[in-house]
Each structure stands twice: as structure tokens, then as C-alpha cells.
Amino acid sequence: MIQTPVLPESLAGDATFAILSAGQAPGPSVAKRAAKMGAEVVVLDRDPSVLADLMSQSAERVGGLALSGDLVSRFEPLHRNWGTTPLHMVLNLMPLDPEDCAQGIDAQIRGLSALVRALGRGLVAGQGSVVTVLSRPSQPLALAGYGMIGAVEGANAALDKVFGPRGLHFHLITVPEGQAGLAADTALYLGSEAGRRLRSGRLDLG
């Protein structure tokens, strides 16, 4: 487990990140800090005002694309625009979006699969990582929340068997309910050159 990530001073020339559902924490923090460190960042969200705000913070390094459609069809324009672009990290915050989360566990797993199909070539080119952030339920009988964690962890393990030998890594970060911002430092680290050497796995923070 990464207790205190040691972040590089610069990500310039070494990192291109895509952040899905970028308006959800820790998306804005990761986008702003990654751009300040020199990374190229693509933010994706359904809300155009969220994209405008994030891009205004660093117009030279942050680009945006509005998401539309369900958790599978929304990846079609990503494949067309960035399917072969080397990517060093995709930060998947879709499960933290209330509307997306309401679609259920199966929809989230289909979305994760569609993400890899759409951006897999770019992730292979960048030897990158897919990092998903989930909240740990505060109630012990919140079975849907725990089921989501188990499902994503299982899907990551299956994807790692296929894509791990090609240099991709799949990480799950869990944080206490309502504290998604805690994942920012760890996500940034996993997107760095040192973090991309870590084996796929699960990190429980907080």
C-alpha cells in the first residue's frame, strides 16, 4: 500500500492523462495539479460548465470533451479522437458520478470494458494505467457499495491477465465515503513514471 506517495517535481514530457467524470472529486484537483506539473490533461464530463472551468485553469495543457450517451456509447468519440494517442493514465471517476452510479454494477463493468477497448492502444503505447476510485460504504450492510468494489476489483484482475503482459496496469483506489479527495496524491503518483512500474492492485486509503 502507498501510504505517502512521493510525487515527482515535474511530469513534463512524461505524462498524458485522461480524467473521466472529471467534475467529481478528486478530478478537479488532479487535473489542476497535473497540468501545473507539466502533464497534458484531457478532462471528460457531461457538464460543459465543468469542462469550461477546468480548461480555464490551464488552457495550454488541459483539453476537454463532453461525454454523452450511456457508459458504453460515450467512448466512441474517445476512440475516434484519442484511440492511438499514448496515454499514461486514465482516471476513472464514473462510479463516483451519482447518475452513472445509479446505473448499477453491471453498467459500470461494461463501461470499464468499453474504456479499455476504446483507449487500450493508447494505454499500451504509453505503458499506462487505468485507475478507478470508489467510495467504501460507511454502513456495513451497504451491499451494493461493497458489491461494486468487489466487481471492479475482479474486473481489474481479469483485464490485468490479458493486458498486463503488454504493459498496462489496473488499479483500484478505495476511500472512505465522502472523502474521494483523499485519492488525489495516489492517483497522481500512479500516473508518474515511478507509479507506472507498480503491479496492478487495490489501494485502500483513509
Side-chain angles (χ1 to χ4, degrees):
M1 180 180 296
I2 306 172
Q3 296 291 349
T4 306
V6 179
L7 300 177
E9 293 184 2
S10 173
L11 292 169
D14 181 51
T16 301
F17 298 162
I19 306 176
L20 306 174
S21 295
Q24 303 298 316
S29 174
V30 172
K32 182 177 180 179
R33 291 170 61 189
K36 188 175 181 179
M37 294 167 71
E40 301 293 331
V41 183
V42 180
V43 291
L44 305 107
D45 200 276
R46 289 196 307 271
D47 188 340
S49 66
V50 167
L51 298 177
D53 181 60
L54 292 174
M55 288 187 292
S56 69
Q57 297 179 22
S58 181
E60 293 183 357
R61 294 199 172 275
V62 180
L65 180 68
L67 295 174
S68 61
D70 60 29
L71 286 163
V72 173
S73 63
R74 67 180 53 171
F75 288 103
E76 294 175 3
L78 299 189
H79 178 68
R80 290 195 300 270
N81 288 290
W82 291 297
T84 59
T85 300
L87 286 172
H88 301 97
M89 180 180 69
V90 175
L91 181 58
N92 175 23
L93 304 178
M94 295 189 298
L96 300 178
D97 183 301
E99 186 173 326
D100 287 342
C101 183
Q103 296 185 43
I105 294 173
D106 288 347
Q108 288 292 334
I109 298 305
R110 289 195 299 272
L112 180 60
S113 178
L115 180 166
V116 175
R117 288 197 302 272
L119 301 176
R121 291 178 64 186
L123 284 162
V124 169
Q127 298 290 278
S129 300
V130 177
V131 179
T132 300
V133 180
L134 292 177
S135 292
R136 295 193 304 274
S138 58
Q139 299 298 320
L141 295 180
L143 302 184
Y146 288 112
M148 181 77 78
I149 291 173
V152 172
E153 188 172 18
N156 278 355
L159 289 166
D160 184 62
K161 288 183 178 179
V162 176
F163 293 99
R166 300 170 65 185
L168 271 68
H169 301 286
F170 298 86
H171 297 284
L172 170 60
I173 301 174
T174 74
V175 294
E177 193 170 0
Q179 299 183 52
L182 290 177
D185 280 359
T186 301
L188 282 166
Y189 178 77
L190 291 172
S192 70
E193 183 177 2
R196 296 196 301 270
R197 299 192 191 107
L198 293 181
R199 293 181 178 179
S200 299
R202 171 177 163 180
L203 304 166
D204 298 318
L205 307 181

